Amino acid sequence: MHVTNRFDRRQALKAGAASAGFVLLASSVPALAQRAKGPAEVPVDELMKAGDLPDLAVGQDTAKVTIVEYASMTCGHCMAFHTKVFPELKKKYVDTGKVRFIFREFPLDARAFAASMLARCAGPDKSLGMIEALFETQEQWAFVRENPTPKLFEIAKQAGFTQESFDKCLTDQKLLDQLTAIHTRGNEVFGVNATPSFFINGKRLQAAPTVEEFDKILEPLLAQG
């Protein structure tokens, strides 16, 4: 299992600063285990406490069940979940008003920070769509040896970025600090140290994030009066 407790914020900002000619880290990110150490359950009120950045969420805020995911944009398992599992999970539970799904950033490296910054800079109406696009194209920018900045800009342009807004986003120290705060709180308060990590009404998903495993937990919760 790949565990993360420390990361270099300065390196993340430097790596993301395309306008200054920096090159993003070229090392590939190893596959991460789906199970994370940490408490089996966390207080829901604490988990749902608002931070400086608004949560990226889909689904009704009155839903009986809330799933919180901590994910890194360079995590292979996160990509697999979002491209293969989440569409069915969303159709079955989120679109029907039964579940609210919250995505929280847990960047594990410089490229993940850059991608998360771009998703946030896309704006509240486009952030989740850009996260989806970045996961779908992950192999083209996250694991390549060459500078991935051109590919990231190509993706960003589809969300309306100009070269100026792209460069400005990747040199936004405040945004970098805010994303760092989400990572730090997830690690120190909720014991998140691997991605993806899921909390369902405060209880950590201990199994692989498949639709079948979510069914086992969600159906009993939804059946309660």
Side-chain angles (χ1 to χ4, degrees), residues 1-9 37-38 106-108 180 183-194:
M1 176 182 294
H2 186 168
V3 176
T4 176
N5 289 309
R6 300 178 61 188
F7 49 92
D8 189 337
R9 297 192 306 168
K37 296 179 181 179
F106 198 81
L108 296 178
T180 298
H183 182 293
T184 300
R185 188 164 187 268
N187 176 245
E188 295 181 354
V189 179
F190 308 122
V192 177
N193 60 4

Side-chain angles (χ1 to χ4, degrees), residues 40-42 44 47 198-205 217 221:
E41 186 170 3
V42 300
V44 174
L47 183 65
F198 298 89
F199 294 92
I200 304 171
N201 280 4
K203 294 184 178 181
R204 186 188 296 269
L205 177 67
I217 299 176
L221 290 173

Side-chain angles (χ1 to χ4, degrees), residues 36-158:
K37 296 179 181 179
E41 186 170 3
V42 300
V44 174
D45 289 346
E46 188 68 23
L47 183 65
M48 301 309 299
K49 192 174 293 184
D52 286 344
L53 287 175
D55 274 330
L56 300 176
V58 289
Q60 299 179 11
D61 54 12
T62 57
K64 182 179 290 187
V65 177
T66 298
I67 299 173
V68 176
E69 177 195 16
Y70 282 89
S72 173
M73 297 306 303
T74 52
C75 160
H77 284 294
C78 301
M79 179 276 291
F81 169 77
H82 279 273
T83 58
K84 299 176 182 179
V85 178
F86 183 67
E88 184 176 348
L89 192 72
K90 181 176 181 293
K91 180 179 179 180
K92 188 173 184 179
Y93 294 107
V94 178
D95 294 345
T96 55
K98 299 175 182 178
V99 169
R100 181 171 175 80
F101 189 94
I102 295 174
F103 178 94
R104 287 185 184 162
E105 299 94 336
F106 198 81
L108 296 178
D109 51 56
R111 295 188 184 198
F113 267 101
S116 292
M117 291 170 78
L118 291 170
R120 285 287 184 170
C121 290
D125 295 333
K126 295 182 180 180
S127 291
L128 288 172
M130 189 159 183
I131 287 170
E132 180 182 347
L134 287 163
F135 273 133
E136 289 176 349
T137 58
Q138 188 187 73
E139 290 187 358
Q140 300 174 38
W141 60 268
F143 309 128
V144 295
R145 290 183 176 276
E146 64 269 20
N147 180 2
T149 302
K151 183 59 183 182
L152 286 173
F153 181 49
E154 180 183 322
I155 298 168
K157 284 195 296 183
Q158 302 303 311

